[in-house]
Amino acid sequence: MLKETEQNHKQRLIHHTNGTSLEEINGTVKVPQGRGFWRTLFAYSGPGALVAVGYMDPGNWSTSITGGQNFQYLLMSVILMSSLIAMLLQYMAAKLGIVSQMDLAQAIRARTSKRLGLVLWILTELAIMATDIAEVIGAAIALYLLFDIPLLVAVVITIFDVLLLLLLTKIGFRKIEALVVCLIFVILFVFVYQVVLSNPVWSDVIKGLIPTPATVANHPMIGGQTPLTGALGIIGATVMPHNLYLHSAVSQTRKIDRHDPKNIAEAVRFSTWDSNIQLTMAFLVNALLLIMGVAVFKTGTVKDPSFFGLYQALSDPATLSNAGLAAIAKSGLLSTLFAVALLASGQNSTITGTLTGQVIMEGFIHLRMPIWLRRLVTRLISVLPVLFCVWFTSGKSTIEEHEALNNLMNNSQVFLAFALPFSMIPLLMMTNSQAEMGDRFKNNWLVKGLGWLSVIGLTYLNLVGLPGQLEGFFGEQATPADLLTADWIAYGLILVVLALLVWTITELYRGNKRYEQSLKGLKNQQVSGDDLRNE
């Protein structure tokens, strides 16, 4: 009967599941035992790269470059702080997966009601689709810039990356990790090359890493942006909620003895090393993007921060900061490399976005579908607003078409502000829990303190920045009435988010208490059994 049920599940495209996270790859990568630090680290390296991709996706590019153009190196400290917070959160996410053998979505669902699980699934899906819109736009623009493919056709072509993903699932997870790492190095090489040619003032770069009150000031206003709004934009584009779900799942791909605390501790240790190394790479990419805004371009010359505008600026010797860059720009090499990096970033995000979608669907609502079908459905949904945007502006000027795509990408990121607290707070609560993690692996007082400081700070900044994000939907020609409407909508949404957070925290707290009581019951039964055997 069991075999028949399994066969029926395989025949159906969508079926119920409540098993291990990403079952097809869970525990499939062997790691050596007692073979030295570097060899062991190499075996654990990979999941961190998949996570780091989310911190350097196309949504980050314009915020960092624009921040550099407007405020020089002032916001470099924001990139550094965002990266350090990311390292802390991803450490907790990997630890949760390794120790509890559940991903974040499964752990939340195990302690909450079916109704809340459905709400959180929808919220997280919207956040993933928002990042997917940025990937579609980035990949389509890269195809347009590199091969002169019409934008409408390029958007449709992005749908077929599902075939690439299907191919990758056949060659093994370790090779997927290797491909992602290679694409990260392509992106890093492109920006290192351009920044080295620009010869920035490195002493000023280092000074920018130290935060000052001016970093979050409400003045001056440059290009419609203050340091505070620039900082909020960088933070919002850097820390992504779906990365926490992804890391808690892919950290379980290594095959370890889960009954041996020493083996588990080693897995946590090397997963943390892997994550921090890869997130350092992401920090370098984002820092290089900001340095590009300062040193590659002449101050104030990048009027259009969209991908089209940046590509054009890298092709125009008049916008570049020195004669060496200007000479190379004439050949088109700088702009071509930029488009190649954009395409690599979009493809990387495609892989990780699909895996995350599978994690949250299985974890929150216990449904599984083939990974190619999952990708096809989410990509079709994400493509629709982009197709509509391209079609709607097809009869207008090129500048209006470019502005519309850039606004769509920026405005879609508003969903990330909603979803982020609902991944960070449960993650912190569960990794603080002795019942969940045990005495050895629960967060120490320092991680707890830094964790709550980061979570409260990021949640506050995201909600404070929400009115400004919604005002962006009305465009630059917004009337005072439009701005007032946006603000009222934002305040209403903030109340909804806070109410939903209270609901989530309450259910998680009660669920954790039930879990603690069940553990005590099991221990009491074991003690009673031991007493009977002794008698």
Side-chain angles (χ1 to χ4, degrees):
M1 185 69 182
L2 182 60
K3 288 183 178 180
E4 288 179 10
T5 303
E6 290 176 354
Q7 288 175 353
N8 289 336
H9 277 182
K10 288 179 180 179
Q11 289 171 359
R12 290 189 221 146
L13 284 177
I14 302 175
H15 59 268
H16 181 271
T17 184
N18 195 16
T20 55
S21 181
L22 294 177
E23 190 171 3
E24 299 87 349
I25 56 176
N26 193 296
T28 58
V29 180
K30 294 181 180 179
V31 292
Q33 298 296 320
R35 292 300 183 93
F37 177 85
W38 294 108
R39 188 167 178 179
T40 307
L41 178 60
F42 178 77
Y44 277 97
S45 296
L50 295 173
V51 170
V53 164
Y55 292 93
M56 59 178 93
D57 73 350
N60 296 47
W61 291 27
S62 64
T63 55
S64 295
I65 292 176
T66 305
Q69 273 279 291
N70 292 340
F71 307 109
Q72 300 295 292
Y73 299 111
L74 182 66
L75 300 182
M76 185 68 77
S77 60
V78 178
I79 295 177
L80 176 60
M81 286 188 291
S82 296
S83 299
L84 292 175
I85 291 171
M87 289 179 185
L88 179 67
L89 293 172
Q90 297 302 158
Y91 154 72
M92 289 189 284
K95 184 171 68 171
L96 176 69
I98 294 167
V99 176
S100 72
Q101 300 181 50
M102 289 190 291
D103 60 56
L104 181 57
Q106 289 174 328
I108 294 172
R109 180 65 185 85
R111 285 156 182 76
T112 55
S113 63
K114 185 176 181 180
R115 184 184 303 172
L116 180 57
L118 182 62
V119 171
L120 294 179
W121 172 65
I122 293 171
L123 194 63
T124 313
E125 283 284 7
L126 289 172
I128 291 175
M129 288 175 189
T131 59
D132 208 24
I133 286 173
E135 293 156 19
V136 170
I137 292 173
I141 291 174
L143 291 171
Y144 167 78
L145 296 174
L146 287 170
F147 307 110
D148 201 26
I149 297 172
L151 270 176
L152 199 62
V153 177
V155 171
V156 174
I157 289 174
T158 64
I159 297 171
F160 295 98
D161 67 6
V162 66
L163 301 176
L164 171 66
L165 195 68
L166 185 60
L167 175 65
L168 288 175
T169 58
K170 302 296 183 183
I171 65 174
F173 188 69
R174 195 70 172 139
K175 292 184 177 65
I176 293 178
E177 292 175 340
L179 175 63
V180 168
V181 171
C182 289
L183 291 173
I184 288 174
F185 273 108
V186 168
I187 298 166
L188 187 63
F189 165 77
V190 169
F191 295 132
V192 166
Y193 175 71
Q194 297 190 357
V195 166
V196 167
L197 287 175
S198 71
N199 194 25
V201 181
W202 290 107
S203 59
D204 290 345
V205 174
I206 294 169
K207 286 178 186 175
L209 294 172
I210 302 170
T212 65
T215 306
V216 289
N218 270 314
H219 57 83
M221 174 79 72
I222 302 174
Q225 189 181 63
T226 65
L228 177 60
T229 56
L232 289 173
I234 289 172
I235 292 169
T238 303
V239 184
M240 300 285 188
H242 63 275
N243 279 328
L244 304 179
Y245 294 99
L246 177 64
H247 206 181
S248 63
V250 295
S251 63
Q252 300 179 55
T253 56
R254 271 45 187 177
K255 190 175 182 179
I256 62 172
D257 182 0
R258 300 192 181 277
H259 301 289
D260 182 1
K262 288 184 179 179
N263 218 247
I264 294 172
E266 182 179 82
V268 171
R269 177 190 172 206
F270 282 101
S271 294
T272 304
W273 270 102
D274 169 47
S275 174
N276 289 344
I277 289 170
Q278 301 294 348
L279 287 173
T280 300
M281 299 268 284
F283 162 72
L284 289 175
V285 169
N286 287 318
L288 288 168
L289 285 163
L290 188 139
I291 295 170
M292 274 184 68
V294 180
V296 172
F297 306 107
K298 292 177 183 176
T299 302
T301 55
V302 180
K303 303 298 182 185
D304 178 6
S306 71
F307 298 135
F308 298 102
L310 294 171
Y311 180 87
Q312 185 62 40
L314 288 167
S315 307
D316 184 1
T319 65
L320 300 176
S321 62
N322 62 51
L325 282 168
I328 298 172
K330 291 177 182 177
S331 69
L333 179 62
L334 294 180
S335 55
T336 299
L337 286 175
F338 175 83
V340 168
L342 183 58
L343 187 61
S345 179
Q347 291 310 303
N348 254 351
S349 300
T350 288
I351 296 168
T352 57
T354 303
L355 290 173
T356 309
Q358 195 79 352
V359 168
I360 65 163
M361 177 178 278
E362 293 179 12
F364 279 130
I365 60 173
H366 298 164
L367 286 182
R368 175 181 295 170
M369 63 172 63
I371 200 165
W372 63 267
L373 180 60
R374 161 81 207 186
R375 185 62 199 161
L376 188 60
V377 171
T378 54
R379 178 46 63 94
L380 283 172
I381 294 172
S382 302
V383 155
L384 286 177
V386 184
L387 282 174
F388 176 78
C389 183
V390 174
W391 173 79
F392 184 74
T393 57
S394 59
K396 299 183 178 181
S397 67
T398 303
I399 293 176
E400 287 178 308
E401 183 180 57
H402 295 177
E403 285 181 350
L405 278 174
N406 197 52
N407 289 337
L408 173 63
M409 183 179 72
N410 292 335
N411 292 336
S412 67
Q413 305 300 296
V414 71
F415 293 109
L416 300 178
F418 297 146
L420 191 57
F422 298 97
S423 56
M424 292 191 302
I425 292 175
L427 174 65
L428 190 54
M429 288 179 68
M430 282 182 280
T431 51
N432 284 345
S433 168
Q434 182 179 357
E436 183 69 57
M437 308 300 290
D439 285 326
R440 182 169 185 173
F441 297 107
K442 71 176 183 178
N443 294 332
N444 59 36
W445 65 269
L446 179 61
V447 172
K448 279 184 184 178
L450 291 174
W452 279 116
L453 184 65
S454 302
V455 165
I456 293 170
L458 285 175
T459 301
Y460 172 76
L461 289 173
N462 272 283
L463 295 181
V464 164
L466 192 57
Q469 286 182 300
L470 290 183
E471 287 172 7
F473 279 86
F474 290 94
E476 294 181 0
Q477 306 300 321
T479 65
D482 292 335
L483 297 179
L484 185 61
T485 301
D487 289 345
W488 277 110
I489 294 172
Y491 298 141
L493 289 174
I494 289 171
L495 289 175
V496 170
V497 169
L498 292 175
L500 189 54
L501 269 177
V502 171
W503 182 16
T504 303
I505 292 169
T506 302
E507 288 210 6
L508 283 171
Y509 178 78
R510 290 174 178 171
N512 206 50
K513 286 296 181 186
R514 287 195 300 269
Y515 184 61
E516 288 177 0
Q517 289 171 359
S518 66
L519 283 179
K520 287 180 182 177
L522 287 172
K523 286 181 180 178
N524 291 334
Q525 288 177 5
Q526 289 174 351
V527 170
S528 299
D530 290 340
D531 291 342
L532 287 172
R533 280 192 291 272
N534 291 332
E535 289 176 3

